[in-house]
């Protein structure tokens, strides 16, 4: 069995719903909603801001990010992994200059995977030594940009990349006068495909993986990759890296990957004892899961950190190795839970299905352009009526967007109060990760603003796109 369904679910839409009717439709489950979300009576508030005021001030759709939620999750990770670990925030989940600043203030490191993400981080003065560059097809220009900026690590993903880096190292060597050992070496990690694919509660462990990332352990490419890196005097191998999946709740997939990485480390050090001092880090990647609905039960960060640390310590002891630093790369787990998307309801249709079932199609003013995850991954989300409370009974609903696409679904199955009406505001929870960063202008919709809320105040981190923005690439 594949651990998670890839790609969109086409065609037939199942009538049977999987969601459970909530006991109280006004309730905001704290595992799903931002730490600063409240509803005593009436409208939802976010860090002391009434969502109706946010909608009036910034318009809808709107992403509202609870700044304290973001910062406190950074602190949770830093505390949980402690001084013996490195927490790298994965930029691809969501990045803006303000986020870069918050990460720097909270002491986290940053992973980027393109020149664009790197440029933003550097522009916002993030310390280069705390940046790592990922990517399965880094260009010559991207590698040069990273080396020239002096970033902390390049996570090498292919033989082609080793050859490109060797060329850059040669240039540095020449620039430094060509003397012995005078040029700085380029710090690299090597991405290992360990044969583990993990998702939520399951993982599959195989020898070979049929995917584009990294150097295969089973196929011998990992050992050959290490050999080529070590053979290049301008490169310094500082760590082994793996990334096994996303939305993971259970540490057992990490256990298998750590076991395999430590096995590789042992082999490397046996052949090259001098590398014991330079390979300081075992990077287990990202993928730590969050709650999108009340039925999701991700482990607390400190419990996950304890499991991962124990696993690596145990594996290293068994292999007779000193325990390296453990690095993790959470994206979703830091930025996901603290953001909600606010939409205004524009159209409501009762659709009569077989067996007398009625499904209320609640159309909102955004959709797959601001949240592609439901269409792309069949993701689940939680939605509530946010602009008021209601004692109406629960109605089976589907929250859909305004795009010309029947797959334009934001929340496939949910219950909303039966008196939901045009003009109401709907909030969708846990939209901080992979929503804005994957947003598009499909149907030429402008991307929504992203507003940070804290202590009863709000400010835009990103403004809404304008008509001019949408025209700016046209050549007239
Ligand atoms: C995507 C990615 C991450 C972050 O994944 P999350 O599920 O957001 O934690 C971390 N590391 C690598 C290499 C990735 O590709």
């Amino acid at each position: 069995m594949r651990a998670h369904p890839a790609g969109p679910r086409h065609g037939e839409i199942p009538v049977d719903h999987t969601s459970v009717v909530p006991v109280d439709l006004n309730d905001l489950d704290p595992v799903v909603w931002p730490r600063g979300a409240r509803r005593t009576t009436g409208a939802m508030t976010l860090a002391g801001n009434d969502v109706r005021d946010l909608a009036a001030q910034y318009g809808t759709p709107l992403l509202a990010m609870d700044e304290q939620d973001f910062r406190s999750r950074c602190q949770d990770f830093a505390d949980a992994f402690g001084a013996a670990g490195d927490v790298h925030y994965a930029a691809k989940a969501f990045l803006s200059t303000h986020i870069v600043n918050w990460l720097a203030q909270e002491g986290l490191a940053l992973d980027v995977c393109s020149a664009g993400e790197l440029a933003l981080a550097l522009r916002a003065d993030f310390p280069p030594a705390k940046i790592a560059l990922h990517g399965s097809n880094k260009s010559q220009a991207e590698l040069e940009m990273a080396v020239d900026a002096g970033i902390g690590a390049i996570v090498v993903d292919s033989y082609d990349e080793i050859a490109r880096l060797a060329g850059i190292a040669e240039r540095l060597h020449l620039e430094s006068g060509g003397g012995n050992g005078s040029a700085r070496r380029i710090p690299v990690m090597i991405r290992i495909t360990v044969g583990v694919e993990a998702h939520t509660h399951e993982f599959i462990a195989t020898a070979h993986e049929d995917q584009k990332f990294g150097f295969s352990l089973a196929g011998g490419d990992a050992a050959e990759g290490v050999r080529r890196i070590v053979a290049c005097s301008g490169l310094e191998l500082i760590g082994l890296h793996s990334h096994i999946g996303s939305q993971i709740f259970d540490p057992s997939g990490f256990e298998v990957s750590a076991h395999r990485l430590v096995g590789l480390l042992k082999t490397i050090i046996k052949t090259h004892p001098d590398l014991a001092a330079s390979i300081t880090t075992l990077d287990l990647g990202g993928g730590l899961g969050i709650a999108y609905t009340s039925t999701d039960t991700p482990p607390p960060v400190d419990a996950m950190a304890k499991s991962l640390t124990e696993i690596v310590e145990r594996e290293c002891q068994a292999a007779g190795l000193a325990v390296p630093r453990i690095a993790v790369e959470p994206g979703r787990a830091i930025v996901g839970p603290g953001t909600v998307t606010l939409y205004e309801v524009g159209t409501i249709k009762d659709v009569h299905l077989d067996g007398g079932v009625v499904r209320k199609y609640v159309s909102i003013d955004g959709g797959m352009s601001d949240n592609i995850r439901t269409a792309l991954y069949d993701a689940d989300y939680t939605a509530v009526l946010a602009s008021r409370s209601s004692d109406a009974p629960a109605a089976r609903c589907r929250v859909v967007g305004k795009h010309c696409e029947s797959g334009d679904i934001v929340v496939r199955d949910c219950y909303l109060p039966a008196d939901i009406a045009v003009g109401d505001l709907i909030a969708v929870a846990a939209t901080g990760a992979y929503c804005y960063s994957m947003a598009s202008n499909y149907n030429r919709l402008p991307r929504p603003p992203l507003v940070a809320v804290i202590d009863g105040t709000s400010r835009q981190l990103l403004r809404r796109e304008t008509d001019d923005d949408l025209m700016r690439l046209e050549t007239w």
Side-chain angles (χ1 to χ4, degrees), residues 148-455:
D148 290 344
I151 74 167
I154 295 175
V155 184
V156 170
D157 207 289
S158 68
Y159 294 128
D160 294 310
E161 187 180 336
I162 296 175
R164 280 177 206 143
L165 281 172
I168 296 172
E170 178 64 16
R171 167 172 66 80
L172 292 182
H173 181 68
L174 294 176
E175 281 170 7
S176 70
N180 245 356
S182 53
R184 70 190 161 90
R185 299 166 78 201
I186 301 171
V188 300
M189 291 206 223
I190 180 166
R191 178 156 175 170
I192 307 298
T193 315
V194 288
V196 177
E197 183 189 326
H199 180 72
T200 315
H201 299 294
E202 324 81 44
F203 69 94
I204 47 170
T206 57
H208 297 277
E209 266 183 67
D210 193 1
Q211 51 111 329
K212 68 175 182 171
F213 288 107
F215 291 85
S216 161
L217 191 58
D221 290 313
E224 175 62 13
V226 168
R227 197 193 63 74
R228 292 194 198 180
I229 291 170
V230 171
C232 178
S233 61
L235 303 182
E236 181 181 22
L237 183 62
I238 61 166
L240 306 183
H241 175 277
S242 79
H243 173 73
I244 56 171
S246 63
Q247 189 57 2
I248 303 168
F249 291 177
D250 186 318
S252 35
F254 288 109
E255 185 157 11
V256 180
S257 86
H259 175 76
R260 293 180 176 179
L261 283 183
V262 170
L264 175 65
L265 184 58
K266 191 176 177 181
T267 320
I268 295 172
I269 290 176
K270 205 188 255 171
T271 347
H272 310 277
D274 51 314
L275 290 182
S278 73
I279 305 180
T280 55
T281 304
L282 216 57
D283 189 329
L284 297 175
L288 299 108
I290 64 168
Y292 285 100
T293 71
S294 295
T295 56
D296 289 334
T297 51
V301 172
D302 53 353
M304 197 57 137
K306 194 158 172 278
S307 302
L308 298 190
T309 311
E310 281 171 5
I311 290 166
V312 171
E313 282 172 0
R314 198 178 57 232
E315 293 294 331
C316 287
Q317 265 154 21
L321 299 176
V323 181
R325 295 181 71 75
I326 301 173
V328 286
E329 306 173 333
R332 183 194 319 265
I334 289 178
V335 74
T339 296
V340 307
T341 309
L342 293 172
Y343 300 104
E344 187 177 295
V345 175
T347 299
I348 298 177
K349 268 181 206 170
D350 284 344
V351 175
H352 296 265
L353 311 174
D354 292 344
V357 179
V358 175
R359 197 197 304 278
K360 219 181 248 310
Y361 274 76
V362 179
S363 295
I364 45 79
D365 47 1
M368 65 194 296
S369 54
D370 61 73
N371 187 349
I372 190 69
R373 291 192 65 259
T374 306
L376 192 59
Y377 306 122
D378 204 13
D380 281 330
Y381 280 97
T382 301
V384 297
L385 169 57
S387 45
R388 61 187 173 91
S389 53
S390 166
D391 295 326
R396 170 179 302 167
C397 292
R398 176 163 292 164
V399 179
V400 296
K402 64 180 272 109
H403 295 277
C404 296
E405 191 93 35
S406 56
D408 174 26
I409 296 169
V410 177
V411 188
R412 187 176 298 279
D413 284 299
C414 63
Y415 287 90
L416 291 169
D419 65 351
I420 183 101
V422 170
D424 280 335
L425 295 177
I426 282 187
V428 176
T431 56
Y434 307 107
C435 287
Y436 194 95
S437 65
M438 289 185 159
S440 73
N441 292 122
Y442 184 40
N443 291 139
R444 297 193 76 79
L445 261 62
R447 275 174 291 190
L450 192 135
V451 170
V453 290
I454 188 163
D455 298 335

Side-chain angles (χ1 to χ4, degrees), residues 14-29:
V15 172
D16 281 344
H17 54 95
T18 47
S19 57
V20 190
V21 186
V23 180
D24 179 356
L25 291 171
N26 300 308
D27 192 40
L28 301 176
D29 184 343

